[in-house]
Amino acid sequence: MSKDSRPSRRQALLGDRPGSYAIARQVRVSPTKARRVVDLVRGLPVDDALSTLQFAPQAASEPVYKVLASAVANAEHTDNLKRTDLYVSQAYVDEGMTMRRIRPRAKGSASRILKRSSHITVVVEPTSNKEA
């Protein structure tokens, strides 16, 4: 299978619709913790989502906020879209690399510590595209 047969990332996420996306890879937060935060903002208008993330108590809200802000900046800069017209159409978290560390235990044994990471993807689209 040649590389050309696979669709581009933009084509896979947005197709021919206007909008933009941002991806943060290898973020050092567990995917389950990041998914809790991402579920809060999916489907919200951008301004509401940013203010929700700004005051969310979870530690994962900071990297999600940065990814969302980046997606909005991409939409404003590349597609000339207005920030007030955008909403979060897709937001999901994939599992990244897992660092394995060792913790000493009793009687010379050891147990494994799994330090997980995430890939956070956020897609923003204009509200005029929103399906009812």
Side-chain angles (χ1 to χ4, degrees):
M1 191 176 230
S2 67
K3 186 177 182 340
D4 298 331
S5 64
R6 190 172 58 191
S8 69
R9 185 167 281 142
R10 179 182 167 76
Q11 189 68 33
L13 289 173
L14 284 162
D16 296 331
R17 303 185 309 270
S20 196
Y21 68 94
I23 301 173
R25 293 175 52 80
Q26 305 299 347
V27 179
R28 261 297 285 123
V29 65
S30 159
T32 45
K33 292 176 182 178
R35 283 186 192 115
R36 279 184 58 205
V37 175
V38 163
D39 291 343
L40 292 172
V41 297
R42 193 179 294 116
L44 290 179
V46 163
D47 291 328
D48 294 350
L50 286 171
S51 60
T52 301
L53 288 172
Q54 193 170 2
F55 297 107
Q58 291 89 352
S61 60
E62 184 187 354
V64 174
Y65 179 93
K66 286 183 175 184
V67 177
L68 178 56
S70 177
V72 171
N74 291 342
E76 287 177 331
H77 188 261
T78 57
D79 293 350
N80 294 324
L81 298 169
K82 289 193 174 67
R83 174 191 191 123
T84 53
D85 299 341
L86 297 174
Y87 80 103
V88 182
S89 64
Q90 298 176 51
Y92 56 90
V93 179
D94 294 324
E95 203 169 311
M97 178 190 68
T98 300
M99 294 189 292
R100 289 169 182 85
R101 299 293 181 257
I102 290 175
R103 174 143 196 104
R105 302 311 293 253
K107 298 182 180 175
S109 66
S111 64
R112 185 174 277 173
I113 298 175
L114 301 177
K115 298 193 172 200
R116 302 181 188 274
S117 67
S118 314
H119 304 318
I120 303 170
T121 305
V122 176
V123 181
V124 293
E125 293 183 52
T127 331
S128 58
N129 281 4
K130 200 173 198 178
E131 289 123 20

